[in-house]
Amino acid sequence: MPDHGLRAPFVIESAELRLIELPLLKPFTISSGTMVTRVAPIVVLRGGGCEGYAEGVADVLPDYLPETIVSSMMMMRDVLLPAIVGKHFANPQEIERSFRPWRDHQMAKATVEMAFWDLWSKVQGLPLWQVLGGTRSQIEVGVSLGIREIFETLEEVALHVEQGYRRIKLKITTGHDLKLLDAVRARFPNIHLTVDANCCYTLADLALLRKLDSYGLDYIEQPLAWNDLHDHVRLQSILSTPICLDESIRTLADCRKALQSDAGRIINIKVGRVGGHTVAKQIHDLCLAYDVPVWCGGMTETGIGRAHNIHLCTLEQFSRPGDTSSSSRYFKQDVIVERLETSDGLMPIPANGAGIGVTVDWDFLDAISTSAETIKA
Ligand code: OSB
Ligand code: MG
């Protein structure tokens, strides 16, 4: 950790835990379910005269990974927040270390750890990207298009290509894959195109999966089960298109095993999925050492989670366009005052002050909060 001339040690004085519900402009469908409303935990940590914010990525149902809103909220309320409030931590890595003996719950751990990264950066008066060690000033982004009728997807592809997005990712599912790709490739033969199966195939689908090799895809995201690196090794040995792992990578060890065994050749890093920025950085560094490209995934976050993702994208090895597209694609109104919008496929780094560099719209946050509680020392 570089010496930024740290201010006097500060204590985490209190934590606020909220649950928000924000309707999506339109439903977002992936192979394992449909999201209509974004339900998300928000954590606010206070100390050193500053406030740090983060947003959790758990879903109401365990349809992406096993963690849910209920389990994630319980873990934060009963275990993680009481363990840190009233204490001093020299840096965010100390928080990550203190959570390590507790199994899983990466999404809950990430929310608390990320809020501390924001708080810690603000106490030092530095932007989060700088504290994370970022070097990139241009953040290239793509879009993730949910499952819809083929004609609707074609319109969406056209719209987003026109807006300058640098890569189009199509959500696919069993029975909605090759025909969709035929239609999109017929009209857009040269765009950077990827697919995301969200675990819907097995090796019994090998004949179909082989055909994906013929569409010139940049990569195929998470074709097989979330907890099965072994079968991805087999699939990658057969396909020439790189496999990109998302759900399968929840820890640094997962990533090491995936790279050592060639289970995938590109990694989607979601800070909320891997337990926070500390582990996200470790995974990033490992991929850098392996010369494996990474990109930043998203979970249809509001501006708070989105801002964290953008800052993370400044690290060197984020060499492929991520999913952190314009907030206005998802929400009519955001929980922050600033609008996080792309132009020509580039996302500006929020810089309204230190930390994640955004301003919370407290009136709106109150209006969409379904619960709010405070944990004091
Ligand atoms: O697999 O990347 C995924 C959204 C919810 C659950 C899983 C995924 C996604 C996305 C959305 O692809 C990306 C975004 O935030 O725009
Ligand atoms: Mg994915």
Side-chain angles (χ1 to χ4, degrees):
M1 187 55 48
D3 178 11
H4 294 299
L6 259 180
R7 307 252 177 100
F10 67 96
V11 162
I12 300 173
E13 284 148 26
S14 71
E16 192 176 315
L17 177 64
R18 288 175 180 251
L19 193 63
I20 60 166
E21 288 191 14
L22 191 55
L24 297 184
L25 286 170
K26 52 178 190 271
F28 185 75
T29 299
I30 67 175
S31 69
S32 52
T34 295
M35 185 188 287
V36 175
T37 299
R38 168 104 177 113
V39 181
I42 299 285
V43 164
V44 183
L45 296 180
R46 298 192 168 90
C50 297
E51 283 181 347
Y53 314 115
E55 171 180 347
V57 300
D59 207 347
V60 176
L61 298 172
D63 56 4
Y64 167 73
L65 282 170
E67 213 170 334
T68 61
I69 290 287
V70 169
S71 66
S72 197
M73 289 291 283
M74 181 190 71
M75 186 67 185
M76 287 190 273
R77 179 190 298 126
D78 295 343
V79 179
L80 303 178
L81 293 172
I84 66 161
V85 170
K87 297 209 178 95
H88 157 75
F89 293 87
N91 52 54
Q93 289 86 347
E94 269 195 7
I95 297 234
E96 189 274 329
R97 201 173 313 126
S98 76
F99 291 167
R100 234 181 263 174
W102 299 326
R103 312 301 186 216
D104 279 327
H105 298 97
Q106 280 86 346
M107 294 176 179
K109 289 174 178 175
T111 318
V112 176
E113 191 257 24
M114 289 160 72
F116 188 75
W117 274 95
D118 184 29
L119 177 64
W120 195 67
S121 308
K122 283 168 175 165
V123 171
Q124 294 174 70
L126 294 170
L128 178 60
W129 66 265
Q130 197 176 330
V131 175
L132 287 170
T135 51
R136 290 176 178 273
S137 53
Q138 294 228 317
I139 308 304
E140 284 195 303
V141 287
V143 278
S144 173
L145 302 181
I147 295 169
R148 301 177 72 185
E149 297 292 337
I150 291 178
F151 78 92
E152 293 172 311
T153 299
L154 285 171
E155 280 167 26
E156 281 204 276
V157 174
L159 177 74
H160 290 97
V161 167
E162 200 174 297
Q163 289 175 358
Y165 282 102
R166 307 280 168 114
R167 165 283 258 150
I168 304 288
K169 155 169 148 184
L170 305 173
K171 292 289 187 180
I172 57 171
T173 190
T174 314
H176 184 82
D177 36 39
L178 301 181
K179 259 196 225 143
L180 171 70
L181 279 167
D182 286 337
V184 172
R185 268 307 188 211
R187 208 165 133 192
F188 307 93
N190 298 320
I191 56 170
H192 283 283
L193 188 66
T194 71
V195 291
D196 187 355
N198 289 106
C199 311
C200 75
Y201 302 107
T202 71
L203 287 180
D205 301 305
L206 198 54
L208 180 138
L209 291 165
R210 279 179 195 273
K211 292 189 183 146
L212 294 180
D213 254 347
S214 61
Y215 292 95
L217 302 174
D218 287 5
Y219 48 83
I220 300 166
E221 189 173 341
Q222 197 67 40
L224 308 175
W226 59 280
N227 55 356
D228 195 344
L229 280 180
H230 185 269
D231 283 357
H232 281 100
V233 173
R234 171 90 200 289
L235 184 61
Q236 183 68 89
S237 75
I238 293 166
L239 296 185
S240 53
T241 309
I243 290 175
C244 170
L245 295 170
D246 174 353
E247 283 91 328
S248 287
I249 308 298
R250 294 186 296 154
T251 64
L252 178 62
D254 288 340
C255 188
R256 174 179 55 75
K257 289 170 194 176
L259 300 187
Q260 284 175 345
S261 61
D262 196 28
R265 296 178 183 163
I266 295 184
I267 302 296
N268 166 342
I269 298 183
K270 288 180 184 166
V271 52
R273 186 193 70 223
V274 302
H277 287 298
T278 306
V279 176
K281 263 167 63 73
Q282 290 168 347
I283 290 174
H284 164 275
D285 293 350
L286 186 69
C287 290
L288 180 65
Y290 271 82
D291 201 20
V292 162
V294 307
W295 56 274
C296 182
M299 293 290 283
T300 67
E301 288 94 338
T302 75
I304 292 177
R306 212 161 277 270
H308 274 279
N309 291 342
I310 300 167
H311 282 267
L312 181 66
C313 286
T314 63
L315 298 184
E316 179 181 351
Q317 194 68 356
F318 282 86
S319 55
R320 300 295 184 93
D323 274 347
T324 306
S325 55
S326 294
S327 168
S328 62
R329 294 187 58 247
Y330 291 111
F331 309 110
K332 188 158 155 245
Q333 190 177 346
D334 205 338
V335 302
I336 58 170
V337 174
E338 299 79 9
R339 292 311 304 248
L340 302 181
E341 301 297 306
T342 61
S343 97
D344 193 28
L346 297 175
M347 178 61 95
I349 302 165
N352 202 352
I356 58 173
V358 298
T359 316
V360 170
D361 180 343
W362 284 102
D363 288 340
F364 188 60
L365 196 72
D366 282 342
I368 61 169
S369 293
T370 54
S371 73
E373 53 204 300
T374 301
I375 291 117
K376 287 200 167 119

Short mmCIF file of all heavy atoms in Angstrom, two decimals, residues 16-38:
data_model
loop_
_atom_site.label_atom_id
_atom_site.label_comp_id
_atom_site.label_asym_id
_atom_site.label_seq_id
_atom_site.Cartn_x
_atom_site.Cartn_y
_atom_site.Cartn_z
N GLU A 16 -25.10 2.22 8.80
CA GLU A 16 -26.51 2.25 8.45
C GLU A 16 -26.73 1.17 7.40
O GLU A 16 -25.97 1.07 6.44
CB GLU A 16 -26.84 3.63 7.89
CG GLU A 16 -28.30 3.92 7.74
CD GLU A 16 -28.52 5.37 7.26
OE1 GLU A 16 -27.87 6.30 7.78
OE2 GLU A 16 -29.32 5.53 6.33
N LEU A 17 -27.75 0.36 7.62
CA LEU A 17 -28.08 -0.71 6.67
C LEU A 17 -29.47 -0.48 6.15
O LEU A 17 -30.44 -0.43 6.91
CB LEU A 17 -27.98 -2.08 7.37
CG LEU A 17 -28.36 -3.30 6.52
CD1 LEU A 17 -27.41 -3.48 5.34
CD2 LEU A 17 -28.36 -4.57 7.39
N ARG A 18 -29.57 -0.32 4.84
CA ARG A 18 -30.88 -0.10 4.21
C ARG A 18 -31.15 -1.17 3.18
O ARG A 18 -30.22 -1.79 2.65
CB ARG A 18 -30.88 1.25 3.44
CG ARG A 18 -30.89 2.45 4.32
CD ARG A 18 -30.76 3.70 3.45
NE ARG A 18 -30.76 4.87 4.29
CZ ARG A 18 -31.76 5.75 4.37
NH1 ARG A 18 -32.85 5.61 3.63
NH2 ARG A 18 -31.69 6.79 5.17
N LEU A 19 -32.43 -1.30 2.87
CA LEU A 19 -32.83 -2.10 1.71
C LEU A 19 -33.62 -1.17 0.81
O LEU A 19 -34.52 -0.47 1.27
CB LEU A 19 -33.69 -3.28 2.17
CG LEU A 19 -33.90 -4.36 1.10
CD1 LEU A 19 -32.58 -5.01 0.71
CD2 LEU A 19 -34.87 -5.43 1.61
N ILE A 20 -33.24 -1.13 -0.46
CA ILE A 20 -33.98 -0.28 -1.39
C ILE A 20 -34.66 -1.11 -2.47
O ILE A 20 -34.23 -2.23 -2.75
CB ILE A 20 -33.07 0.78 -2.07
CG1 ILE A 20 -31.93 0.11 -2.87
CG2 ILE A 20 -32.53 1.76 -1.05
CD1 ILE A 20 -31.23 1.07 -3.83
N GLU A 21 -35.71 -0.55 -3.03
CA GLU A 21 -36.41 -1.18 -4.15
C GLU A 21 -36.60 -0.15 -5.25
O GLU A 21 -37.27 0.86 -5.04
CB GLU A 21 -37.78 -1.71 -3.72
CG GLU A 21 -37.67 -2.94 -2.84
CD GLU A 21 -39.02 -3.62 -2.61
OE1 GLU A 21 -39.99 -3.30 -3.34
OE2 GLU A 21 -39.10 -4.47 -1.72
N LEU A 22 -35.98 -0.42 -6.39
CA LEU A 22 -36.04 0.53 -7.50
C LEU A 22 -36.48 -0.21 -8.77
O LEU A 22 -35.78 -1.11 -9.23
CB LEU A 22 -34.65 1.16 -7.69
CG LEU A 22 -34.51 2.36 -8.61
CD1 LEU A 22 -35.44 3.50 -8.22
CD2 LEU A 22 -33.07 2.84 -8.62
N PRO A 23 -37.66 0.13 -9.30
CA PRO A 23 -38.14 -0.57 -10.49
C PRO A 23 -37.22 -0.36 -11.68
O PRO A 23 -36.71 0.75 -11.87
CB PRO A 23 -39.52 0.05 -10.77
CG PRO A 23 -39.84 0.88 -9.57
CD PRO A 23 -38.57 1.20 -8.87
N LEU A 24 -37.00 -1.41 -12.46
CA LEU A 24 -36.26 -1.27 -13.71
C LEU A 24 -37.20 -0.69 -14.77
O LEU A 24 -38.41 -0.93 -14.73
CB LEU A 24 -35.75 -2.62 -14.20
CG LEU A 24 -34.75 -3.38 -13.33
CD1 LEU A 24 -34.30 -4.66 -14.04
CD2 LEU A 24 -33.53 -2.52 -13.02
N LEU A 25 -36.65 0.07 -15.71
CA LEU A 25 -37.48 0.62 -16.79
C LEU A 25 -38.16 -0.50 -17.57
O LEU A 25 -39.29 -0.37 -18.01
CB LEU A 25 -36.62 1.47 -17.73
CG LEU A 25 -36.19 2.82 -17.16
CD1 LEU A 25 -35.16 3.48 -18.06
CD2 LEU A 25 -37.41 3.74 -16.99
N LYS A 26 -37.42 -1.60 -17.76
CA LYS A 26 -38.06 -2.78 -18.35
C LYS A 26 -37.45 -4.02 -17.72
O LYS A 26 -36.31 -3.99 -17.26
CB LYS A 26 -37.94 -2.78 -19.88
CG LYS A 26 -36.54 -2.60 -20.39
CD LYS A 26 -36.54 -2.66 -21.91
CE LYS A 26 -35.13 -2.72 -22.46
NZ LYS A 26 -34.50 -1.45 -22.71
N PRO A 27 -38.21 -5.13 -17.71
CA PRO A 27 -37.68 -6.34 -17.08
C PRO A 27 -36.39 -6.81 -17.75
O PRO A 27 -36.23 -6.63 -18.96
CB PRO A 27 -38.80 -7.37 -17.31
CG PRO A 27 -40.03 -6.57 -17.58
CD PRO A 27 -39.58 -5.31 -18.22
N PHE A 28 -35.49 -7.38 -16.96
CA PHE A 28 -34.21 -7.88 -17.46
C PHE A 28 -34.18 -9.39 -17.27
O PHE A 28 -34.19 -9.87 -16.14
CB PHE A 28 -33.06 -7.19 -16.71
CG PHE A 28 -31.70 -7.54 -17.22
CD1 PHE A 28 -31.23 -7.01 -18.42
CD2 PHE A 28 -30.86 -8.39 -16.50
CE1 PHE A 28 -29.97 -7.34 -18.90
CE2 PHE A 28 -29.59 -8.71 -16.98
CZ PHE A 28 -29.15 -8.19 -18.18
N THR A 29 -34.16 -10.13 -18.39
CA THR A 29 -34.24 -11.58 -18.31
C THR A 29 -32.92 -12.24 -18.69
O THR A 29 -32.32 -11.89 -19.72
CB THR A 29 -35.36 -12.10 -19.25
OG1 THR A 29 -36.60 -11.55 -18.81
CG2 THR A 29 -35.46 -13.62 -19.21
N ILE A 30 -32.48 -13.17 -17.85
CA ILE A 30 -31.33 -14.01 -18.17
C ILE A 30 -31.81 -15.46 -18.09
O ILE A 30 -32.98 -15.71 -17.78
CB ILE A 30 -30.13 -13.71 -17.21
CG1 ILE A 30 -30.42 -14.15 -15.77
CG2 ILE A 30 -29.81 -12.23 -17.24
CD1 ILE A 30 -29.24 -13.98 -14.82
N SER A 31 -30.93 -16.41 -18.37
CA SER A 31 -31.40 -17.80 -18.49
C SER A 31 -32.01 -18.32 -17.18
O SER A 31 -32.83 -19.22 -17.21
CB SER A 31 -30.25 -18.72 -18.92
OG SER A 31 -29.29 -18.83 -17.89
N SER A 32 -31.63 -17.73 -16.05
CA SER A 32 -32.07 -18.27 -14.76
C SER A 32 -33.17 -17.46 -14.09
O SER A 32 -33.61 -17.82 -13.00
CB SER A 32 -30.86 -18.37 -13.82
OG SER A 32 -30.19 -17.13 -13.77
N GLY A 33 -33.64 -16.40 -14.72
CA GLY A 33 -34.72 -15.63 -14.10
C GLY A 33 -34.88 -14.24 -14.68
O GLY A 33 -34.09 -13.81 -15.53
N THR A 34 -35.90 -13.55 -14.21
CA THR A 34 -36.21 -12.20 -14.69
C THR A 34 -36.20 -11.22 -13.52
O THR A 34 -36.79 -11.50 -12.48
CB THR A 34 -37.61 -12.17 -15.35
OG1 THR A 34 -37.58 -12.99 -16.51
CG2 THR A 34 -38.01 -10.75 -15.76
N MET A 35 -35.53 -10.10 -13.70
CA MET A 35 -35.55 -9.05 -12.68
C MET A 35 -36.47 -7.93 -13.15
O MET A 35 -36.35 -7.45 -14.28
CB MET A 35 -34.14 -8.50 -12.46
CG MET A 35 -34.08 -7.49 -11.32
SD MET A 35 -32.48 -6.65 -11.21
CE MET A 35 -31.46 -7.95 -10.54
N VAL A 36 -37.42 -7.55 -12.29
CA VAL A 36 -38.37 -6.48 -12.61
C VAL A 36 -38.03 -5.24 -11.80
O VAL A 36 -38.13 -4.11 -12.27
CB VAL A 36 -39.82 -6.94 -12.33
CG1 VAL A 36 -40.80 -5.81 -12.54
CG2 VAL A 36 -40.17 -8.14 -13.20
N THR A 37 -37.65 -5.48 -10.56
CA THR A 37 -37.28 -4.41 -9.64
C THR A 37 -35.91 -4.72 -9.08
O THR A 37 -35.64 -5.86 -8.71
CB THR A 37 -38.28 -4.33 -8.47
OG1 THR A 37 -39.57 -4.06 -9.01
CG2 THR A 37 -37.91 -3.25 -7.48
N ARG A 38 -35.05 -3.72 -9.04
CA ARG A 38 -33.75 -3.93 -8.41
C ARG A 38 -33.94 -3.78 -6.90
O ARG A 38 -34.33 -2.71 -6.41
CB ARG A 38 -32.74 -2.92 -8.94
CG ARG A 38 -31.47 -2.86 -8.15
CD ARG A 38 -30.32 -3.56 -8.87
NE ARG A 38 -29.12 -3.38 -8.07
CZ ARG A 38 -28.48 -4.38 -7.45
NH1 ARG A 38 -28.89 -5.63 -7.59
NH2 ARG A 38 -27.43 -4.13 -6.72
#
